[in-house]
């Protein structure tokens, strides 16, 4: 990125510009379609069908119905409506510190927001984040998967005792605002079992982490194993490389229950010809430039050199991640793992002074978050880590 004076910045956090800022293929696709036609979604256009077909090839077969929208918040709000209509239940289980969007309905299911606003609604139930570094059950626990999934089971049972009924378990496939968390494999399967038994459905929010960012898979929920398939997947941010585009993918059964109300779902500009042309171009670039494999290669290298810094600097308590989704947990002490909030903020400021854009997340605002554009290179990774090393060695 460049400022108004032409000064170059290294962007380590912009997961919206997924395939890179101002990628020429994306700009070209938008420009050419804009010259030809852009109109609202009441007018049928091949781009809409072509894009839905392309997306369907990246997902499990049962997720075959697509709703197109303009933002991740719109997508998550629609997912909430779909869940409630299908289950005839109202309540939602979310993870602590979660963030799912800025609409009123989503602030209500985002502990990251509602704890500082109107508080928790009676239909919202909060389960612990499956964080094996600083959560309830850590890396030394004999079965953290079962322990964390049992917390969700207990949450359901507590809700039932109050006469509440669960519509959905709503979760980021990799909790981001919660601190760049990698849920242990098998957790989603066990949670889905409890939620389905309670008559609810499983919603995977892929808005931050989808489209090949994790490297090994196209979707982050696939890290849980081939035997796990959510009932709804929501997409946003990287889907359009910064263009306002979003999507909800779900099953025929859920879509049919939603349509059975007789009230049509219509989104004026969702899935318009230009948005779909851009969406198709993003998929083309991911494939043509092999960005999924690139995310694995660069991500593994970045993890390796960050872990080398962990050995050198006691302030680095944990390095975790997958592909180009990585968190570096800064701590004051090894025993208590107290968040080094002030030190993290200071480091971010000093990096910015050196024209490197990085940010923090997590409840303690002490986790350095790496979510760069997917073109982030080995040289970029080496440069930022060398700079972090120099700051930690000489200045903090």
């Amino acid at each position: 990125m460049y400022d108004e004076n032409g000064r170059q910045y290294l962007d380590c956090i912009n997961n919206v510009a997924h395939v890179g800022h101002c990628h020429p293929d994306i700009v070209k696709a938008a420009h050419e379609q804009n010259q030809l036609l852009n109109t609202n979604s009441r007018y049928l256009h091949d781009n809409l069908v072509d894009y839905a077909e392309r997306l369907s090839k990246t997902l499990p077969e049962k997720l075959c119905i697509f709703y197109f929208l303009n933002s991740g918040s719109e997508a998550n709000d629609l997912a909430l409506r779909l869940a409630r209509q299908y289950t005839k239940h109202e309540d939602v289980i979310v993870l602590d510190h979660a963030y799912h969007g800025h609409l009123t309905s989503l602030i209500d299911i985002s502990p990251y927001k509602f704890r500082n606003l109107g508080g928790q609604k009676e239909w919202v139930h909060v389960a612990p984040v499956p964080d094996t570094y600083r959560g309830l059950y850590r890396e030394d626990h004999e079965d953290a998967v079962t322990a964390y999934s049992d917390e969700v089971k207990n949450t359901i049972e507590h809700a039932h005792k109050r006469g509440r009924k669960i519509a959905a378990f709503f979760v980021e496939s990799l909790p981001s605002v919660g601190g760049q968390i990698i849920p242990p494999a098998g957790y989603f399967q066990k949670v889905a079992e409890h939620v389905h038994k309670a008559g609810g459905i499983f919603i995977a929010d892929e808005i931050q982490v989808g489209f090949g960012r994790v490297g090994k898979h196209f979707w982050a929920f696939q890290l849980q194993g081939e035997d796990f398939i959510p009932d709804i997947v929501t997409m946003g941010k990287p889907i359009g490389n910064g263009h306002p585009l979003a999507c909800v993918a779900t099953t025929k059964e859920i879509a049919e229950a939603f349509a059975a109300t007789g009230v049509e779902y219509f989104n004026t500009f969702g899935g318009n010809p230009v948005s779909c042309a851009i969406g198709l171009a993003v998929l083309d670039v991911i494939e043509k430039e092999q960005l999924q494999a690139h995310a694995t290669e660069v991500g593994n290298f970045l993890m390796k050199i960050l872990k080398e810094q962990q050995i050198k600097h006691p302030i680095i308590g944990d390095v975790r991640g997958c592909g180009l989704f990585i968190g570096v947990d800064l701590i004051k002490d090894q025993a208590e793992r107290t968040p080094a909030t002030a030190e993290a903020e200071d480091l971010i400021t000093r990096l910015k002074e050196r024209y490197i854009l990085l940010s923090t997340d997590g409840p303690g605002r002490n986790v350095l978050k790496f979510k760069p554009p997917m073109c982030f290179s080995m040289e970029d990774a080496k440069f930022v880590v060398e700079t972090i090393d120099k700051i930690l060695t000489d200045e903090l």
Side-chain angles (χ1 to χ4, degrees):
M1 296 187 76
Y2 299 85
D3 66 15
E4 69 276 17
N5 298 314
R7 174 75 70 174
Q8 178 178 297
Y9 287 79
L10 176 60
D11 185 356
C12 303
I13 51 174
N14 200 326
N15 62 326
V16 178
H18 190 60
V19 300
H21 294 282
C22 303
H23 193 293
D25 290 8
I26 311 302
V27 174
K28 181 183 178 184
H31 178 62
E32 289 183 351
Q33 185 57 53
N34 250 322
Q35 286 186 310
L36 187 64
L37 173 72
N38 197 24
T39 185
N40 72 62
S41 302
R42 289 202 185 276
Y43 298 85
L44 299 180
H45 195 275
D46 286 348
N47 281 4
L48 181 66
V49 179
D50 292 345
Y51 187 42
E53 287 181 345
R54 283 285 297 279
L55 273 181
S56 71
K57 292 175 183 176
T58 71
L59 287 160
E61 188 175 349
K62 81 167 192 174
L63 296 170
C64 58
I65 304 295
F66 298 87
Y67 299 86
F68 291 103
L69 316 94
N70 306 295
S71 73
S73 288
E74 276 192 334
N76 280 346
D77 180 73
L78 177 58
L80 194 58
R81 289 178 59 193
L82 288 167
R84 285 174 166 165
Q85 182 60 37
Y86 178 70
T87 64
K88 306 300 183 184
H89 299 168
E90 180 184 16
D91 292 23
V92 178
I93 301 172
V94 293
L95 296 181
D96 207 359
H97 314 301
Y99 175 64
H100 292 291
H102 62 79
L103 300 181
T104 300
S105 60
L106 305 175
I107 295 294
D108 286 345
I109 63 169
S110 298
Y112 169 70
K113 292 290 187 180
F114 73 58
R115 294 200 192 286
N116 298 312
L117 294 170
Q120 185 172 339
K121 299 291 194 294
E122 64 174 358
W123 53 269
V124 177
H125 312 277
V126 180
V129 182
D131 178 357
T132 55
Y133 179 69
R134 62 170 65 254
L136 285 177
Y137 311 106
R138 301 187 174 185
E139 68 274 9
D140 57 351
H141 193 278
E142 61 181 8
D143 188 359
V145 168
T146 300
Y148 277 117
S149 61
D150 281 350
E151 289 289 334
V152 176
K153 181 182 178 183
N154 294 339
T155 300
I156 293 171
E157 290 174 351
H158 181 68
H160 285 172
K161 287 177 182 177
R162 293 169 46 214
R164 311 298 306 186
K165 292 183 178 181
I166 305 300
F169 178 77
F170 212 127
V171 64
E172 294 173 273
S173 297
L174 298 178
S176 179
V177 172
Q180 302 290 98
I181 305 301
I182 310 295
Y187 170 71
F188 283 2
Q189 288 90 325
K190 286 182 177 289
V191 168
E193 186 179 337
H194 298 316
V195 172
H196 289 153
K197 188 176 179 181
I201 64 172
F202 193 109
I203 301 172
D205 178 342
E206 290 271 340
I207 291 166
Q208 296 259 25
V209 295
F211 292 87
R213 174 160 297 279
V214 299
K216 294 178 184 177
H217 302 283
F218 200 81
W219 304 105
F221 72 78
Q222 292 169 323
L223 291 168
Q224 292 287 311
E226 292 183 4
D227 59 333
F228 174 71
I229 301 175
D231 300 296
I232 295 176
V233 172
T234 61
M235 314 163 203
K237 295 186 189 298
I239 189 174
N241 209 58
H243 181 84
L245 174 61
C247 180
V248 175
T250 190
T251 66
K252 283 185 178 180
E253 293 78 11
I254 291 173
E256 286 170 359
F258 190 59
T261 62
V263 179
E264 69 167 347
Y265 177 77
F266 179 70
N267 189 304
T268 302
F269 225 53
N272 67 77
V274 170
S275 292
C276 289
I278 290 171
L280 283 162
V282 169
L283 294 179
D284 287 340
V285 172
I286 292 171
E287 186 176 322
K288 183 176 72 173
E289 299 183 5
Q290 299 181 317
L291 292 181
Q292 214 176 311
H294 180 78
T296 295
E297 184 181 11
V298 177
N300 287 346
F301 175 69
L302 182 53
M303 287 277 287
K304 175 180 173 288
I305 58 178
L306 284 169
K307 286 183 176 179
E308 290 170 358
Q309 296 302 313
Q310 183 181 4
I311 295 169
K312 183 177 179 180
H313 300 290
I315 192 173
I316 299 177
D318 189 37
V319 177
R320 53 183 176 261
C322 188
L324 287 174
F325 178 89
I326 295 171
V328 180
D329 203 311
L330 301 187
I331 58 174
K332 288 181 177 291
D333 59 273
Q334 294 287 341
E336 297 295 325
R337 302 179 178 179
T338 307
T341 305
E343 292 84 351
E345 183 178 359
D346 198 7
L347 176 59
I348 293 300
T349 300
R350 291 170 191 262
L351 284 169
K352 188 176 180 183
E353 291 169 354
R354 290 161 172 81
Y355 308 104
I356 296 173
L357 304 178
L358 195 61
S359 189
T360 59
D361 249 327
R365 303 295 300 178
N366 66 302
V367 180
L368 307 180
K369 61 176 179 179
F370 288 85
K371 294 183 295 186
M374 295 275 279
C375 54
F376 196 77
S377 69
M378 295 281 204
E379 292 74 23
D380 295 332
K382 188 176 180 183
F383 174 62
V384 69
V385 173
E386 285 176 350
T387 308
I388 290 171
D389 179 29
K390 183 172 176 56
I391 294 171
L392 292 179
T393 301
D394 299 340
E395 302 177 33
L396 290 181

